[in-house]
């Protein structure tokens, strides 16, 4: 018995165009609507066999999930309970419930999000909860600073590249509500039923050079550092009891796989489970493989199609004019699948910056102050390798099963 995928239709924008949208993004949005495919990313059918769904699951030793609920903590006048979870990556990690935001998006409703209804199946694995709001029409609104925001410019430029626009959420333009600006994007969870979701931060550097240019020694960052690892500061830093922000940021990156592999698993959500959000310390190859195995649940059909998608995305990035001329900081790979369909997209361009004319990057070279390299493609290379290892291990187990 097999199940095949259905087409994930592109959401239809039904809201009226505002003055800001007409002035700043009318041409861009029109082009995106005309050229964008109606599918999430693939026309190919996905086959999930009975063996994929049941038999091979027994071959994997999955990371244990403890869904016990801690005592309620008070927040204002309301009490919220957060389930606990553990994994091989961090046995003491605490998980949070999916961030629940209300629709439609207004500043007042954003403040009252805990008491309002939400679209069925909505979740937010990472990012600021007040910045993204889903609607009931398959569109999410993301709060921005203004019409010249870096993320606006990024989506406007990406939407002009037919191939590149297929690896990011569909862009529907700008909205202004009660003086607050938003961009409207495709809701990547629309159409999925109780999906498995993974958020992977790409890049070996997740901070802008401008954010660490101040060389002032900061005692507060020294205290944060020794709270994590008392042996991390150098003798000189111990004597000064202070570190620069650059030193602290590099230390923080070294705690995850970002520094060595160019990516880190930020969060994941398994079917019927609360999201696991404290995965930043999952950094060894074995920890990463176990986490990916848990996420994919031995579904070889998903593994095969996901590898194909990731390699296609890498090729598009290598050939894209936008990516060739921009530094990409803090972007994530968003992966989602259920029994019927799957998809993967590059999201979050708030820290994308256009390069000066005299600079060019390959997104793979090591970062040195001033060269603007961030390791985006280095992270894609390492991530694809990690997924290939899991796929190969799955093939090996299947061969043993046949014997």
């Amino acid at each position: 018995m097999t199940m095949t995928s259905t087409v994930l239709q592109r959401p239809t924008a039904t809201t009226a165009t505002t003055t800001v949208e007409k002035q700043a993004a009318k041409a861009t949005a029109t082009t995106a609507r005309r050229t964008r495919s109606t599918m999430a990313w693939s026309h190919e059918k996905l086959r999930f066999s009975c063996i994929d769904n049941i038999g091979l699951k027994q071959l994997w030793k999955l990371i244990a999930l403890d869904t016990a609920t801690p005592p309620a903590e008070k927040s204002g006048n309301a009490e919220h309970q957060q389930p606990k979870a553990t994994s091989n990556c961090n046995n003491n990690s605490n998980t949070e419930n999916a961030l629940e935001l209300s629709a439609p998006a207004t500043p007042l409703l954003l403040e009252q999000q805990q008491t309002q209804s939400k679209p069925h199946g909505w979740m937010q694995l990472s990012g600021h909860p007040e910045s993204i709001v889903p609607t009931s029409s398959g569109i999410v609104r993301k709060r921005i600073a203004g019409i010249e925001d870096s993320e606006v410019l990024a989506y406007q430029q990406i939407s002009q590249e037919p191939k590149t626009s297929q690896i990011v959420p569909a862009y529907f333009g700008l909205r202004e509500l009660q003086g607050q600006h938003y961009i409207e994007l495709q809701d990547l969870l629309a159409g999925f039923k109780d999906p498995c979701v993974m958020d992977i931060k790409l890049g070996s550097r997740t901070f802008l050079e401008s954010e660490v240019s101040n060389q002032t020694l900061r005692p507060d960052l020294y205290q944060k550092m020794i709270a994590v690892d008392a042996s991390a500061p150098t003798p000189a830093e111990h004597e000064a009891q202070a570190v620069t922000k650059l030193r602290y940021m590099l230390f923080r990156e070294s705690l995850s796989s970002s520094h060595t592999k160019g990516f880190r698993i930020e969060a994941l959500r398994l079917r019927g489970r609360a999201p696991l959000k404290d995965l930043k310390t999952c950094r060894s190859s074995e920890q990463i493989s176990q986490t990916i195995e848990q996420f994919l649940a031995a579904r070889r059909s998903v593994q095969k199609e996901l590898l194909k998608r990731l390699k296609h995305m890498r090729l598009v990035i290598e050939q894209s004019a936008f990516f060739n001329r921009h530094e990409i900081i803090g972007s994530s790979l968003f992966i989602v699948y259920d029994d019927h369909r799957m998809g993967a997209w590059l999201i979050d361009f708030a820290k994308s910056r256009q390069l000066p004319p005299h600079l060019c990057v390959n997104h793979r070279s090591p970062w040195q102050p001033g060269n603007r390299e961030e390791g985006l493609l280095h992270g894609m290379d390492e991530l694809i390798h990690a997924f290939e290892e899991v796929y190969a291990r799955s093939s090996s187990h299947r061969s043993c099963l046949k014997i």
Side-chain angles (χ1 to χ4, degrees):
M1 179 180 68
T2 61
M3 286 183 286
T4 58
S5 66
T6 57
V7 174
L8 176 59
Q9 295 293 334
R10 174 184 174 181
T12 303
T14 58
T15 52
T17 304
T18 64
T19 301
V20 173
E21 187 180 18
K22 290 179 179 179
Q23 294 176 348
K26 182 177 180 181
T28 300
T30 300
T31 303
R33 288 184 175 91
R34 185 169 59 247
T35 60
R36 184 74 181 210
S37 168
T38 59
M39 298 189 68
W41 61 267
S42 175
H43 289 277
E44 298 188 30
K45 295 182 178 180
L46 306 176
R47 296 175 177 83
F48 302 98
S49 67
C50 295
I51 293 178
D52 283 341
N53 286 327
I54 301 172
L56 287 182
K57 284 185 178 181
Q58 305 305 317
L59 296 174
W60 302 109
K61 182 178 180 181
L62 303 181
I63 301 173
L65 295 176
D66 179 9
T67 55
T69 305
E73 297 180 359
K74 291 185 178 181
S75 176
N77 295 325
E79 293 185 353
H80 306 284
Q81 293 185 345
Q82 296 180 340
K84 287 184 178 179
T86 60
S87 73
N88 289 353
C89 301
N90 188 348
N91 291 333
N92 296 320
S93 63
N94 293 324
T95 62
E96 302 175 8
N97 290 321
L99 301 175
E100 300 174 353
L101 304 180
S102 60
T106 67
L108 178 61
L109 287 178
L110 285 170
E111 295 173 3
Q112 299 174 342
Q113 57 184 320
Q114 296 296 333
T115 61
Q116 300 295 321
S117 61
K118 65 185 184 302
H120 178 71
W122 166 254
M123 74 183 82
Q124 183 180 346
L125 289 183
S126 61
H128 300 293
E130 72 277 4
S131 66
I132 300 178
V133 184
T135 72
S136 59
S137 58
I139 292 175
V140 294
R141 294 177 183 141
K142 184 172 183 180
R143 189 194 295 260
I144 56 173
I147 61 175
E148 296 299 321
D149 187 272
S150 295
E151 193 148 29
V152 176
L153 300 177
Y155 276 109
Q156 287 177 346
Q157 293 178 54
I158 289 174
S159 66
Q160 301 301 313
E161 299 182 18
K163 291 183 179 180
T164 311
S165 64
Q166 297 297 311
I167 68 171
V168 303
Y171 171 65
F172 299 111
L174 290 161
R175 292 281 294 174
E176 183 178 2
L177 297 170
Q178 299 184 359
Q180 175 63 55
H181 294 94
Y182 299 85
I183 53 174
E184 293 191 331
L185 302 170
Q186 173 188 358
D187 182 355
L188 300 180
L189 292 174
F192 287 93
K193 183 177 180 181
D194 193 20
C196 295
V197 184
M198 180 177 280
D199 185 300
I200 303 170
K201 185 77 70 177
L202 292 174
S204 53
R205 173 171 60 93
T206 59
F207 55 87
L208 292 167
E209 292 185 3
S210 60
E211 295 174 331
V212 295
S213 59
N214 192 327
Q215 295 301 307
T216 302
L217 292 174
R218 293 179 52 176
D220 61 321
L221 297 182
Y222 170 81
Q223 293 299 326
K224 287 184 177 181
M225 180 182 288
I226 63 174
V228 177
D229 184 357
S231 65
T234 64
E237 291 167 343
H238 275 305
E239 183 177 354
Q241 294 192 356
V243 297
T244 64
K245 186 174 182 180
L246 173 60
R247 173 73 173 94
Y248 175 74
M249 294 299 288
L250 291 174
F251 163 74
R252 195 177 70 171
E253 301 283 37
S254 70
L255 298 177
S256 72
S257 58
S258 292
H259 180 68
T260 56
K261 296 184 178 298
F263 74 87
R264 67 173 181 246
I265 301 175
E266 287 277 288
L268 66 83
R269 189 260 186 188
L270 301 179
R271 177 170 299 174
R273 302 279 189 172
L276 284 165
K277 295 189 175 185
D278 193 8
L279 298 174
K280 292 184 177 68
T281 56
C282 179
R283 57 181 176 178
S284 73
S285 296
E286 183 61 25
Q287 289 172 334
I288 292 170
S289 293
Q290 289 177 345
T291 304
I292 293 174
E293 287 174 359
Q294 173 180 312
F295 174 68
L296 296 176
R299 295 194 173 194
R300 286 178 53 78
S301 300
V302 176
Q303 296 170 16
K304 181 179 179 180
E305 292 300 322
L306 183 54
L307 272 171
K308 185 184 300 184
R309 171 64 171 171
L310 294 179
K311 291 177 180 179
H312 170 72
M313 293 178 70
R314 178 174 63 182
L315 180 62
V316 169
I317 293 172
E318 290 173 336
Q319 298 176 344
S320 166
F322 172 82
F323 285 98
N324 285 337
R325 296 302 311 151
H326 284 78
E327 172 188 20
I328 310 296
I329 298 293
S331 290
S332 292
L333 184 68
F334 187 82
I335 302 171
V336 55
Y337 76 88
D338 61 12
D339 284 336
H340 305 289
R341 55 178 71 87
M342 63 174 296
W345 299 265
L346 196 63
I347 63 173
D348 296 337
F349 297 97
K351 288 188 176 182
S352 63
R353 297 291 187 270
Q354 185 168 347
L355 297 169
H358 66 281
L359 274 182
C360 62
V361 295
N362 58 32
H363 303 292
R364 287 188 172 96
S365 298
W367 174 67
Q368 296 178 350
N371 73 358
R372 305 287 286 273
E373 291 285 357
E374 80 299 86
L376 177 72
L377 283 173
H378 169 60
M380 286 290 288
D381 293 339
E382 291 288 338
L383 185 64
I384 289 171
H385 178 67
F387 275 95
E388 284 177 333
E389 285 190 332
V390 170
Y391 184 72
R393 190 179 303 179
S394 174
S395 300
S396 175
H397 280 294
R398 177 169 290 224
S399 297
C400 293
L401 183 65
K402 289 180 179 180
I403 294 173

